[in-house]
Amino acid sequence: MSLSHSPSRNLVNGLLFLAVLAPIAVLAYMLLGWSFGDALYMVVVTIFTVGYEEVRPIDTPELRAVTVALIVLGCTGVIYLTGALVQFFTLSQIQQVLGIKRMKSEIDQLQAHVIVCGFGRIGNMLTRELKAGKTRFVIIERSEPRVAEARDLGYLWVQGEATDEAVLKSAGIDRAAILATVLPDDAANVFITLSARSLNKNLRIIARGELPTTEGKLLHAGANEVVLPAHIGAERIAEMILFRNSTTLVRGSEQRKGFEQDLHGLGLELEVTAAAEGSPFVGLSIAEIERRAGGAFLIVALNRRDGSSLTRPPSDAVIGAGDGVVVIGRSGRVRALDAFAQAADLS
């Protein structure tokens, strides 16, 4: 037998060898007139080289042949299995230690990277998108199963509580450009935001909030942007109901996803909003709205209340109550359109 295979395969091979040898040896002794109990006892003490005296006299050529074969094969199998066990545990520990050291070295070399606190449902989706966008990131996660999942995916990770400043430092908080805390615990996200802001004044912090009342707390703690998944989900459903054609235009294909990513890279956003009854949008042409907005955004499509759509609306097209507008604008300005379209003064 050779230990040239992988440690796990060697271990399995050794166990299979003994599992086959032992029953055959027991059967051989029984065929020579021994009871099952005596045969099993003889096989066990022989294979594991305990050295007790023989349970019955080995006084025939057949018994001697079976015993000699059992000694040679059994001892060889146990030696092989012992070596496989040592190789398995030793190599696993060495690989784990070397893997952690190599990963720590990679993290220490990162500059302007993203730190993702939490590898749950949202963290998993976020890191998948970051990887697709070739953005370097480090995950902070306390759960062993989730850390194992991140490790299997080839991600850089730090196991621990993201609320611990030492853990944030080990993830390179002082060199990071962005921190996204996406835990489902609002209190933890607030505390992480406070800690991260104290460690890196120039860090851009994006925080997740479950309750609308948490948004103000996160912003006060130092978050640059707050994301409310439940609120965004409700907005998305409303868009699908009210502006089906426009939402198809914005998010209806992989090509549009790529287009949105390109816009984000330029610091722009693509969004859908409604012109509510009494909104300053209503009754104004697109050209007038864009002029009063001072270049904050451009209207690129209209979804009329009657169901018709204009993907390239003329500048003299007038916005009516209930119309949906698709706009492109600078990041952070497009989101203000909800309030802007309902009550704000354009002038």
Side-chain angles (χ1 to χ4, degrees):
M1 295 182 182
S2 170
L3 289 177
S4 59
H5 298 299
S6 67
S8 56
R9 184 180 299 178
N10 290 332
L11 191 59
V12 171
N13 289 342
L15 291 171
L16 287 175
F17 179 77
L18 292 180
V20 172
L21 175 65
I24 293 175
V26 170
L27 181 61
Y29 281 116
M30 292 178 67
L31 292 175
L32 294 174
W34 288 25
S35 67
F36 173 76
D38 287 346
L40 179 62
Y41 182 80
M42 183 66 178
V43 170
V44 171
V45 297
T46 303
I47 286 179
F48 291 97
T49 64
V50 177
Y52 295 134
E53 63 183 29
E54 298 164 353
V55 293
R56 289 193 181 189
I58 308 298
D59 53 4
T60 66
E62 292 82 2
L63 282 173
R64 291 192 182 98
V66 171
T67 303
V68 169
L70 179 61
I71 291 172
V72 173
L73 295 176
C75 290
T76 302
V78 169
I79 292 171
Y80 177 87
L81 181 61
T82 303
L85 281 168
V86 172
Q87 184 188 35
F88 179 80
F89 289 114
T90 303
L91 188 59
S92 296
Q93 291 176 350
I94 291 174
Q95 287 176 337
Q96 184 176 6
V97 170
L98 291 179
I100 292 175
K101 285 186 176 180
R102 183 171 58 250
M103 183 179 62
K104 187 177 183 305
S105 176
E106 289 185 36
I107 293 174
D108 290 342
Q109 294 174 11
L110 290 178
Q111 296 287 340
H113 58 288
V114 178
I115 297 176
V116 179
C117 301
F119 194 59
R121 178 175 55 87
I122 292 181
N124 198 309
M125 291 187 291
L126 172 59
T127 52
R128 194 183 312 143
E129 293 295 326
L130 291 176
K131 183 179 180 180
K134 301 187 183 303
T135 299
R136 302 299 302 274
F137 61 88
V138 179
I139 297 167
I140 297 179
E141 174 58 55
R142 66 179 180 180
S143 168
E144 179 61 39
R146 290 176 178 172
V147 167
E149 183 181 358
R151 181 171 57 243
D152 293 340
L153 290 170
Y155 297 161
L156 297 178
W157 53 270
V158 174
Q159 186 171 7
E161 294 282 355
T163 53
D164 187 344
E165 289 190 1
V167 174
L168 290 172
K169 289 178 181 178
S170 65
I173 187 74
D174 56 322
R175 305 181 310 277
I178 300 173
L179 180 138
T181 176
V182 292
L183 297 172
D185 184 341
D186 283 357
N189 287 331
V190 171
F191 194 85
I192 292 168
T193 300
L194 281 168
S195 300
R197 179 58 67 209
S198 67
L199 293 171
N200 188 338
K201 302 297 182 183
N202 299 318
L203 185 70
R204 180 185 173 198
I205 300 176
I206 303 172
R208 169 187 176 181
E210 291 298 309
L211 299 175
T213 54
T214 309
E215 183 174 6
K217 298 174 184 177
L218 287 166
L219 292 171
H220 184 71
N224 299 95
E225 298 169 63
V226 177
V227 178
L228 303 174
H231 179 68
I232 292 175
E235 282 186 341
R236 177 72 178 110
I237 294 171
E239 287 176 9
M240 294 174 69
I241 295 172
L242 296 172
F243 313 121
R244 180 177 178 181
N245 294 332
S246 294
T247 51
T248 301
L249 170 70
V250 175
R251 302 182 178 90
S253 66
E254 290 300 321
Q255 184 179 4
R256 291 296 175 183
K257 281 187 177 181
F259 177 58
E260 283 192 282
Q261 289 178 353
D262 291 339
L263 285 177
H264 281 303
L266 296 173
L268 301 174
E269 292 181 4
L270 187 67
E271 194 55 69
V272 179
T273 190
E277 193 73 43
S279 163
F281 272 153
V282 175
L284 294 180
S285 67
I286 291 176
E288 180 63 16
I289 293 171
E290 292 177 350
R291 184 188 67 78
R292 295 193 183 189
F297 58 82
L298 296 174
I299 297 175
V300 296
L302 281 179
N303 190 44
R304 294 296 192 186
R305 190 172 185 177
D306 61 9
S308 61
S309 296
L310 298 174
T311 55
R312 294 183 180 178
S315 59
D316 59 354
V318 176
I319 304 297
D323 286 349
V325 293
V326 181
V327 300
I328 292 178
R330 295 197 298 270
S331 298
R333 299 295 299 275
V334 174
R335 277 288 173 188
L337 281 174
D338 291 335
F340 185 63
Q342 294 176 22
D345 187 359
L346 280 171
S347 58

